[in-house]
Amino acid sequence: MLQARLESVSESIGPPSSIRLPGSRNTGQFHLMLRIHVIIACLSILISIYVFYQREMSIVASQVILHPYVSQALKYGGTNLGRDKLYRTVQYFSRFLAWYLQSRGQKMEAARWSALKSHLALARKLMRLGKPVEHLQAALRAAQTTGDVGEQLATIGRQIGYFGYLTYDAVVWANSVKAINLKPATGQKVARLSNQFWLSAILFSIVRGLLKAGRLAAEAKKLRFPETWGDKDLADETQRELKQLALEKMRVGVRYQFIIDILDIWIPAFNLGLVNVNDGIVGFAGLISSIMGMRSQWIAVNGSK
């Protein structure tokens, strides 16, 4: 009797597998929704990080690209003379480095830098094709001005020297790119004439610098003693100080150019076989003078600041 009662209760309840706890039918949906919310939260975080990164990178890019130094560099590179000074610096750095590597036995690396030097030298010849006319105009203008005769003659000689140097240098370039075909002996003669004109131009520049430095020193000496200066307007202290500042600035410029000329004179002298130095000294001298020339051109384009 008792067993029959238990069996009837068991049948009414059903098998154990059919028993469900309260709310268990929503467990799968709950886990699914939880996963969706986690994915959405992760995506939101990733999107926020991406937006923040993009904004920060945009700010950094703007600060770098629109930086005043970048604008000044673009302005400097926009001038033909500025690019020439930059290429010249790399050219003579390559020449010095090629010599250094060659002296250390690293012939392969030295050949790479030597090739770069040669290509830059050829490119600079192309960039200077119109320069002879500029120097010829400068020589004519110098002949028409009045002033110290020695300085005037030295200036004319300097400009004519650069005119001849760049003219023959253009012929060397034309022969190098096979625009014209010169015999090897003729090509060597043209290159030698180019270097001779270059050397004479630098010598005239040095003479002009010495003459101008002497004249400016004499004027500065007179300004230190106002009573010995003939112009009565300069007796005023303010005008005298302004004149002294202007003279000092010119004297600094003359000394600066004199150093460049002293360094540059080794290059044509070496090419002509007048000095017995190695390629390293020539490359180093050209590198220093090129950096100084870059600085002068930078100031001319962007100002001293």
Side-chain angles (χ1 to χ4, degrees):
M1 186 73 179
L2 179 60
Q3 184 176 0
R5 184 68 179 267
L6 289 174
E7 289 177 357
S8 63
V9 172
S10 176
E11 290 176 358
S12 64
I13 294 175
S17 60
S18 64
I19 300 176
R20 296 179 182 272
L21 295 174
S24 62
R25 69 181 63 178
N26 297 324
T27 302
Q29 296 179 357
F30 172 76
H31 286 295
L32 178 61
M33 294 300 296
L34 181 61
R35 292 190 186 97
I36 292 174
H37 283 296
V38 170
I39 292 172
I40 292 174
C42 292
L43 288 175
S44 300
I45 294 173
L46 291 175
I47 292 173
S48 300
I49 293 174
Y50 175 77
V51 172
F52 175 78
Y53 175 78
Q54 287 290 100
R55 185 176 60 185
E56 290 299 316
M57 288 301 296
S58 176
I59 294 173
V60 172
S62 299
Q63 290 177 347
V64 172
I65 296 174
L66 300 178
H67 196 277
Y69 284 144
V70 176
S71 301
Q72 291 176 348
L74 291 174
K75 186 178 179 181
Y76 173 84
T79 63
N80 188 56
L81 186 57
R83 290 193 300 272
D84 180 69
K85 296 296 184 183
L86 176 61
Y87 295 164
R88 189 181 194 268
T89 302
V90 179
Q91 174 190 344
Y92 282 100
F93 172 76
S94 302
R95 184 170 185 171
F96 172 77
L97 190 58
W99 166 83
Y100 177 80
L101 294 172
Q102 183 73 28
S103 65
R104 294 296 183 275
Q106 302 179 26
K107 296 183 179 180
M108 294 295 294
E109 290 295 324
R112 292 173 57 187
W113 287 99
S114 182
L116 176 61
K117 175 203 69 175
S118 301
H119 285 300
L120 286 173
L122 194 63
R124 290 183 60 234
K125 293 180 190 298
L126 174 62
M127 293 172 60
R128 299 195 301 258
L129 286 181
K131 293 289 289 182
V133 180
E134 293 183 15
H135 288 285
L136 186 59
Q137 289 180 343
L140 292 175
R141 283 194 293 266
Q144 296 171 359
T145 58
T146 58
D148 185 82
V149 178
E151 291 182 37
Q152 186 180 17
L153 292 176
T155 301
I156 295 172
R158 176 181 183 271
Q159 298 299 339
I160 292 177
Y162 277 114
F163 168 76
Y165 157 57
L166 294 174
T167 300
Y168 281 106
D169 200 51
V171 178
V172 172
W173 171 82
N175 185 51
S176 299
V177 299
K178 305 303 180 182
I180 59 175
N181 292 318
L182 299 177
K183 295 180 180 179
T186 305
Q188 292 177 2
K189 184 178 180 180
V190 170
R192 185 172 181 82
L193 284 171
S194 175
N195 281 285
Q196 287 175 346
F197 272 107
W198 188 8
L199 180 62
S200 65
I202 296 176
L203 289 174
F204 275 117
S205 182
I206 291 174
V207 172
R208 174 181 174 272
L210 292 174
L211 293 174
K212 189 173 182 179
R215 177 176 61 82
L216 294 177
E219 292 182 7
K221 183 178 180 180
K222 289 181 180 180
L223 280 177
R224 287 195 294 268
F225 305 98
E227 65 277 6
T228 62
W229 185 258
D231 194 348
K232 295 182 180 180
D233 293 336
L234 293 178
D236 182 77
E237 185 66 21
T238 303
Q239 292 185 2
R240 187 172 66 87
E241 290 179 358
L242 291 175
K243 185 69 174 179
Q244 284 179 327
L245 290 175
L247 283 175
E248 184 59 29
K249 185 177 181 179
M250 287 189 289
R251 294 178 71 184
V252 170
V254 170
R255 288 194 293 265
Y256 196 84
Q257 183 60 45
F258 182 78
I259 295 173
I260 293 177
D261 291 334
I262 291 297
L263 292 170
D264 278 344
I265 200 171
W266 290 93
I267 304 171
F270 174 80
N271 295 337
L272 293 170
L274 300 178
V275 292
N276 186 21
V277 294
N278 56 46
D279 234 21
I281 293 177
V282 177
F284 184 75
L287 173 63
I288 299 302
S289 67
S290 299
I291 294 174
M292 295 177 69
M294 279 185 62
R295 178 180 177 274
S296 298
Q297 179 63 12
W298 181 278
I299 293 174
V301 173
N302 296 307
S304 57
K305 293 184 179 180

